[in-house]
Amino acid sequence: MEFTVSQQDREWLEQTKEKLLCKLSAEVQRTGGKIVYIPKDGRYEDLATPTGVYWWCNGFWPGMLWQAYHASKDEAFRKAAETIEERLDQAFEGYEGLHHDVGFMYTLSALADYRLTKNKDSRRRALHAANLLAGRYNARAKFIRAWNGDRTGWTIADTMMNLPLLYWASRELGDPRFTYIAQDHADTCAKVTVREDGSSYHISILDPLTGEVVDRPSGQGYSPDSAWSRGQAWIVYGYALSFRHTGEKRYLDTAKKAAHYFIANLALTDWLPLCDFQAPEEPLIYDASAGACAACGLLELAEQAGEYEQALYQKAAWNILKAMEKKFCNWDCDADGILGYSSKAYHDQKERETSIIYGDYFFTEAILRLAGKAFPIW
């Protein structure tokens, strides 16, 4: 089966790409080198307080800027991204607030910079972050611990998206230990996080001495046994990326299994992602960020799969992005935030169905990827 893009879809993509770059141009003029998360009354506030500098989302705005710079060569995007990257040095200096999401923070900022400009300081920052991430590895239970404090045995679906930083460090240094750590974690995650039907848990608490599962709290989904959609998206994209970096077929198989579960559920909701696929019908809560991340993962899978599955993944990604653009996007250039209806967590009423920076990042990556304008940031 071959997937053919219609002329109407080509026109939609070109128009969406132009609206996206136009809006990003307006945002960078207002926002510049701020560290941002959710707009307040249509404007981003600077999050770089003594604790805010550690926030796991701090790489997504520079990631958008580097994607926009690659697509347009507009120096305003580059300058703003470089400013944020330098400001994130404060997190290295403080250290204690950093955790497993240094991959999100520095892959999308410092590593993106190094890949595009060969900035030696950016390389140093990315390697520093990779070593911090590798330092969280439990060599007995074979996983990378999530968060800090008393969560010694905690492992979560999100960490799969942090592993590309380790794969890069192995190649950059010619040191296989980073890849060994990443693969050990991916194998453990597949065993304790991904269910037989392709759905996934968000959190698994392991015995740090043996690796045995001791508990599974609900995390950001509806319940411990439900299917939080963004966690599902982390699994789809994370395992597709692990396959790209290692060539290990078991990662491709895991990504496919999770992708098929995601696609089957979105086909029931007009391609608009719910916050949790196994939550009650009411209240109806969307999470657009899950759809945007999954679309990136599906496009990654489309490059790796056979002809039939390639068409399946491509069509699903197009369907998700078109549906969300029609219902969720705000193209008003006077307001910050692009993709609305993103939700931090099912039970979090404060940050529900709003514009969140990671939703905007993955939507930007997916649209530019469809247009052949993205670069492989992961």
Side-chain angles (χ1 to χ4, degrees):
M1 181 176 69
E2 182 178 352
F3 174 64
T4 303
V5 181
S6 68
Q7 181 60 33
Q8 183 178 8
D9 282 348
R10 293 182 190 278
E11 291 173 359
W12 168 83
L13 176 60
E14 181 61 25
Q15 292 168 3
T16 302
K17 183 199 72 174
E18 291 304 315
K19 287 190 288 187
L20 175 66
L21 291 175
C22 182
K23 176 133 188 182
L24 288 174
S25 294
E27 285 189 339
V28 77
Q29 294 302 317
R30 288 190 297 269
T31 303
K34 292 180 181 178
I35 295 175
V36 302
Y37 177 44
I38 294 176
K40 308 289 185 183
D41 299 321
R43 288 289 184 273
Y44 282 127
E45 298 177 350
D46 199 334
L47 200 66
T49 63
T51 56
V53 74
Y54 297 118
W55 187 232
W56 73 276
C57 298
N58 290 351
F60 288 107
W61 175 234
M64 291 171 67
L65 295 171
W66 285 118
Q67 291 285 10
Y69 172 72
H70 178 264
S72 69
K73 298 300 183 286
D74 185 336
E75 287 293 320
F77 295 125
R78 174 176 174 165
K79 291 176 181 176
E82 290 173 339
T83 298
I84 299 167
E85 181 184 337
E86 291 172 2
R87 296 183 71 190
L88 288 179
D89 283 347
Q90 299 172 57
F92 283 147
E93 293 167 4
Y95 171 69
E96 290 183 352
L98 293 172
H99 47 77
H100 63 282
D101 281 329
V102 291
F104 277 128
M105 293 173 68
Y106 295 98
T107 299
L108 296 173
S109 57
L111 182 51
D113 188 349
Y114 176 62
R115 281 175 164 154
L116 285 174
T117 73
K118 300 304 177 186
N119 183 329
K120 292 182 179 179
D121 283 334
S122 299
R123 178 181 183 272
R124 171 182 54 78
R125 292 179 178 112
L127 288 173
H128 188 171
N131 276 279
L132 290 175
L133 183 57
R136 304 183 69 82
Y137 174 65
N138 180 318
R140 290 291 182 268
K142 298 187 182 302
F143 73 97
I144 296 170
R145 65 166 288 180
W147 299 312
N148 299 330
D150 61 354
R151 295 167 171 174
T152 306
W154 289 48
T155 179
I156 60 175
D158 317 38
T159 305
M160 285 302 303
M161 287 298 298
N162 289 269
L163 301 186
L165 181 64
L166 298 178
Y167 294 127
W168 167 78
S170 269
R171 291 193 304 274
E172 187 70 14
L173 298 174
D175 186 342
R177 65 193 171 96
F178 294 98
T179 290
Y180 295 154
I181 290 170
Q183 289 192 256
D184 278 355
H185 180 85
D187 292 339
T188 297
C189 182
K191 181 174 69 173
V192 305
T193 302
V194 184
R195 305 182 185 112
E196 284 300 315
D197 66 355
S199 66
S200 62
Y201 299 101
H202 179 204
I203 300 171
S204 294
I205 302 177
L206 310 182
D207 183 323
L209 301 180
T210 67
E212 295 299 315
V213 176
V214 296
D215 194 13
R216 286 193 173 102
S218 61
Q220 289 170 251
Y222 169 71
S223 71
D225 296 319
S226 63
W228 177 50
S229 60
R230 183 150 41 88
Q232 192 74 26
W234 297 144
I235 295 296
V236 173
Y237 200 7
Y239 277 96
L241 290 169
S242 277
F243 174 71
R244 189 220 297 175
H245 287 291
T246 67
E248 294 290 344
K249 186 175 180 296
R250 64 186 182 277
Y251 301 145
L252 178 60
D253 291 341
T254 300
K256 287 180 179 180
K257 184 165 69 170
H260 295 169
Y261 183 89
F262 202 100
I263 292 169
N265 278 275
L266 260 67
L268 300 175
T269 56
D270 297 323
W271 300 101
L272 298 173
L274 302 181
C275 185
D276 194 304
F277 293 133
Q278 294 184 21
E281 291 185 9
E282 298 293 337
L284 182 67
I285 305 171
Y286 291 111
D287 183 6
S289 70
C293 178
C296 292
L298 292 169
L299 292 172
E300 178 69 27
L301 278 175
E303 296 181 8
Q304 302 164 350
E307 183 177 338
Y308 176 81
E309 289 177 318
Q310 181 182 63
L312 170 68
Y313 300 139
Q314 287 177 325
K315 186 173 183 178
W318 277 87
N319 286 344
I320 294 167
L321 294 168
K322 287 191 300 178
M324 294 202 308
E325 190 276 328
K326 181 178 181 180
K327 189 172 179 66
F328 294 157
C329 281
N330 176 5
W331 296 119
D332 180 1
C333 288
D334 290 329
D336 291 333
I338 298 169
L339 185 68
Y341 286 81
S342 292
S343 298
K344 177 183 177 181
Y346 183 88
H347 295 290
D348 187 326
Q349 297 185 25
K350 182 178 179 181
E351 297 178 4
R352 176 185 288 179
E353 295 191 336
T354 186
S355 178
I356 304 179
I357 195 65
Y358 45 77
D360 282 9
Y361 170 77
F362 285 110
F363 186 79
T364 297
E365 180 187 321
I367 293 299
L368 293 180
R369 190 165 186 160
L370 283 183
K373 295 291 186 179
F375 83 102
I377 204 164
W378 302 100

